[in-house]
Amino acid sequence: LPMTEGARAAAWRDMKVFNNHAYIVADGSGQHGLQVFDLTRLREMDGSNPPVMDPDYLYTDIASAHNIVINEETGIAYSVGGSSGGITCGGGLHMLDLNKDPKKPEFVGCFADPATGRSGTGYSHDAQCVTYAGPDTEHAGKEICMGSNETALSIADVTDKDDPVAISMVVYPNVAYAHQGWLSEDHEFFYMNDEGDEPQGLVEGTRTLVWDVRDLDEPVLVTEFIQETTTTDHNLYIRDNLMYQSNYGSGLRIIDITDRANPAEVGFLVTTQGGGGSWSNYPYFESGV
């Protein structure tokens, strides 16, 4: 599936899947848009001779975007880090309804907290959006987005797409670039990485920020988990009581978060010969592998 005609080549792609459709964005690529591809088309294909294919649909109300997020419970997608034209939403959440027709996303609104982001526009580098099932009863059942917004953690209620609301934002010591994070499955803690603190020498080892978000209006940084490695941490994901954290120079690190405020590394996999790194990983296969 080639990049959109007229777009610029770039290293960054992100894709998510909903209802058998892949949604693909590109960052720093100019007028790339959001490609929609029906994955069921692959079922009848000969894997030994894959054809070049076109997307089923090209959504053009965004141009470049760093990432795309989908809440699979609600069927709402969130393009983040928008730039280069279209409805950028300040680089914040560009909200899309996938329910009516998964091939044709429908724009339903924007959210950005201008108290966050390097440019003061609410730019979100990455986010996790969930149907909230944590202990904060004030927000029970609401659609909540946790944004890693360059300068801060941003928490928003986006249930009403016509009137999304900033719940809270919070900064932390030695911030360089709030990059990405993930909730524990009980929605009580949020684990976040900073992509710039290690290379800038702001911390002594690979740092993971551990937020107590049992009160979404008052998140508390309970600890900074510092590992023995000094490499830059990148995307992390949580399944059960394990965090799967990708790192630039030290591969995949597996961290036990059974004791939420006291993570402990329990394994690792160096992903290339000579000690190379990993940008991302995916621990959610139905098989459990």
Side-chain angles (χ1 to χ4, degrees):
L1 180 65
M3 69 179 183
T4 302
E5 185 177 355
R8 295 191 300 269
W12 295 276
R13 294 287 186 279
D14 190 71
M15 63 196 74
K16 297 294 189 300
V17 171
F18 175 75
N19 197 12
N20 290 330
H21 288 73
Y23 301 87
I24 305 157
V25 297
D27 198 1
S29 293
Q31 303 300 308
H32 185 278
L34 167 64
Q35 295 173 319
V36 181
F37 185 82
D38 183 346
L39 294 168
T40 63
R41 290 166 60 189
L42 302 176
R43 292 175 177 165
E44 304 304 321
M45 291 182 183
D46 179 358
S48 63
N49 187 28
V52 175
M53 292 175 288
D54 292 323
D56 290 271
Y57 184 73
L58 181 66
Y59 177 82
T60 57
D61 280 349
I62 63 169
S64 290
H66 183 73
N67 207 333
I68 185 166
V69 177
I70 297 179
N71 181 354
E72 294 183 34
E73 290 188 55
T74 61
I76 302 296
Y78 303 85
S79 168
V80 297
S83 63
S84 302
I87 305 171
T88 65
C89 299
L93 304 175
H94 178 113
M95 300 186 282
L96 297 165
D97 191 340
L98 308 179
N99 291 291
K100 294 179 182 178
D101 183 350
K103 284 186 174 59
K104 294 185 178 180
E106 178 185 355
F107 175 71
V108 289
C110 283
F111 172 79
D113 183 349
T116 66
R118 286 178 169 177
S119 300
T121 63
Y123 179 98
S124 184
H125 191 74
D126 207 338
Q128 182 189 14
C129 298
V130 300
T131 303
Y132 181 71
D136 190 340
T137 56
E138 179 184 356
H139 302 288
K142 301 293 182 66
E143 190 160 17
I144 302 296
C145 287
M146 314 290 290
S148 297
N149 286 20
E150 298 186 312
T151 60
L153 168 62
S154 167
I155 304 178
D157 179 349
V158 296
T159 308
D160 183 348
K161 305 302 182 288
D162 293 323
D163 187 26
V165 177
I167 297 174
S168 60
M169 63 80 65
V170 62
V171 297
Y172 54 91
N174 297 315
V175 61
Y177 199 88
H179 176 262
Q180 184 264 351
W182 211 254
L183 285 161
S184 58
E185 290 192 347
D186 55 17
H187 292 180
E188 293 188 357
F189 284 76
F190 185 73
Y191 298 83
M192 190 168 75
N193 47 72
D194 184 306
E195 192 178 17
D197 51 1
E198 294 91 4
Q200 292 182 29
L202 301 177
V203 292
E204 295 182 356
T206 304
R207 176 176 67 158
T208 305
L209 301 146
V210 182
W211 297 99
D212 181 339
V213 292
R214 286 176 287 190
D215 181 350
L216 293 176
D217 298 270
E218 297 287 342
V220 176
L221 182 63
V222 293
T223 193
E224 298 180 8
F225 173 54
I226 307 294
Q227 299 175 60
E228 293 182 2
T229 58
T230 58
T231 56
T232 299
D233 47 344
H234 210 247
N235 286 28
L236 65 87
Y237 300 98
I238 291 169
R239 181 169 183 169
D240 301 324
N241 288 321
L242 292 175
M243 178 198 308
Y244 297 87
Q245 182 186 87
S246 289
N247 290 266
Y248 270 62
S250 55
L252 177 68
R253 319 303 289 197
I254 302 172
I255 298 160
D256 190 334
I257 59 164
T258 303
D259 184 346
R260 295 287 190 257
N262 294 285
E265 185 176 290
V266 293
F268 65 90
L269 177 70
V270 178
T271 48
T272 61
Q273 293 181 356
S278 168
W279 260 22
S280 195
N281 66 87
Y282 185 82
Y284 302 114
F285 292 106
E286 291 183 14
S287 65
V289 175

